[in-house]
Each structure stands twice: as C-alpha cells, then as structure tokens.
Amino acid sequence: MNLFEAVKAAVTPRMAAERYGLPIRQGSMVCCPFHADRTPSMKLNEDYFYCFGCGASGDVIDLAARLFGLSSYDAAKKLAADFGITGQKPSILAKLQRGKSQVEAERRSFRVLGDYLRILQDWKEHCAPQSPEDGIDPRYAEACHMLERIGNMLDILACGTPQERAEVVADLQKDERLMRMEARNRQLREDAHGTK
C-alpha cells in the first residue's frame, strides 16, 4: 500500500475538513473555501468532495492540496503526518486511534484557552485603572500578564506542527492544569452572569 492509498483508506474528506477547521453543517455540507461562499455548497462524501457552486471536486488529497496550496504528494504527506498514518498496514489503525484522541485533546485545549482569552480581554478592557491614583485590579494584572501567552498557545494549536500542538496539550495536561482552567472559566462565567 503506497502513501496515497494509505491516506485515502484512512482519511475521509469530512475528517480532513474537520481537522482543518471547516465548520460542517447538516448533511455533511460546508461553505466552500475555494470561492466566496456564504451558504454551504460543498458536499463531503465518503470518498470525494464536490462544490455545487464552483465545481471544485476531488478526493481527500485534492482537498488538502487546494486548501494549503500543495502538490498532491506534499498534501498526502501532510495528511499522513496530521493523522498519524505510516506506510505499514498494521500501524495505521493504532496510529489513527492515537491521532483521534490527540485531535480531541487539541480541540478541548483550544476551546478552554479560547474561553480564557475572552475573559482576559474583557478584564483588560473593563478592569483597567481609570486614573493614576486607582489601585491595580488583580484581574487587570492577570490579563496584562497572561494575554500574550494564551494567544501564543492558541496560535500554536491553530497553526503549529503536530509536534508543537502535542507539546502545548501535554503542558496543559500537567497537574490537571487544563481541568482546573476549565472549572475556573465556568465559575467566572457563572459569577459574571450572577452579578448582572
């Protein structure tokens, strides 16, 4: 089984679309990324995609090639790397399962960090001192301290290499940091809604 066959056997156009951030609507439809599409006109089938608007079509490798401006071979290599596929048949399923749990961990990390980033942005805007005599609100100080770091982590999760994304996820999972951050975000949201 060559690289192209291995990728096409393991990855559907829908899986690739989800991995690369295309919001999938009912009926496996997405807004076509290849033309100015306001309503979903691209259908993601098991083996191919087709856009009813611009006519773009092909298999999962064609989709990745067009999304990232790559040759078919480079697109196949990218898909293989992103989905943990090797040329050996026995390891494809094992790596795919590991890849799936990694994707889920990355999605959760991205969601939790995104929530925290919105809280920090709100604090930076609304908790800033109004005059030089005002004391520094701890929320404002936390926002000033953490905004850039959280933004960088989100950038890596969105655009980094699989290795870089895995490092961010591993760092967030140390000492249950991500779970604590998620619980704190929830508590802060509840407190904010309770005071309004």
Side-chain angles (χ1 to χ4, degrees):
M1 184 179 282
N2 67 31
L3 177 65
F4 289 86
E5 292 166 337
V7 167
K8 286 194 264 190
V11 184
T12 66
R14 183 186 174 103
M15 291 165 68
E18 283 179 337
R19 174 67 187 238
Y20 300 132
L22 298 178
I24 298 173
R25 308 279 170 76
Q26 189 175 3
S28 292
M29 297 293 289
V30 296
C31 287
C32 179
F34 309 127
H35 75 279
D37 197 6
R38 287 193 298 253
T39 58
S41 63
M42 180 184 282
K43 175 77 170 166
L44 301 169
N45 296 295
E46 276 303 301
D47 299 317
Y48 68 97
F49 68 92
Y50 178 77
C51 177
F52 296 95
C54 70
S57 66
D59 60 26
V60 68
I61 294 170
D62 298 321
L63 179 63
R66 288 195 64 174
L67 277 173
F68 299 101
L70 301 172
S71 68
S72 292
Y73 180 68
D74 287 336
K77 284 199 315 192
K78 176 172 180 48
L79 286 161
D82 289 349
F83 284 89
I85 299 165
T86 64
Q88 282 79 49
K89 269 187 188 173
S91 63
I92 288 176
L93 287 174
K95 289 212 174 205
L96 213 66
Q97 284 307 108
R98 270 202 305 269
K100 186 176 180 187
S101 63
Q102 177 65 23
V103 169
E104 288 165 3
E106 286 174 18
R107 280 193 185 138
R108 180 177 177 216
S109 298
F110 192 85
R111 180 180 45 76
V112 172
L113 287 172
D115 289 347
Y116 185 41
L117 183 76
R118 283 187 286 281
I119 289 167
L120 292 173
Q121 289 167 333
D122 182 64
W123 285 352
K124 185 153 188 196
E125 184 180 340
H126 295 103
C127 300
Q130 301 302 307
S131 72
E133 293 80 33
D134 289 349
I136 302 289
D137 187 313
R139 295 171 297 181
Y140 178 74
E142 183 177 341
C144 290
H145 180 70
M146 296 299 292
L147 264 170
E148 185 177 354
R149 181 170 176 214
I150 299 301
N152 288 341
M153 292 168 86
L154 282 164
D155 286 346
I156 290 169
L157 286 172
C159 307
T161 65
Q163 168 100 24
E164 291 167 336
R165 294 193 309 263
E167 286 171 11
V168 167
V169 169
D171 184 55
L172 286 168
Q173 289 175 338
K174 275 186 213 156
D175 311 323
E176 298 182 338
R177 195 175 304 161
L178 186 68
M179 198 167 68
R180 288 199 318 269
M181 187 184 289
E182 192 170 28
R184 183 173 180 239
N185 288 350
R186 194 176 318 112
Q187 186 63 51
L188 289 166
R189 273 196 310 272
E190 287 169 8
D191 292 349
H193 291 300
T195 58
K196 288 182 180 174

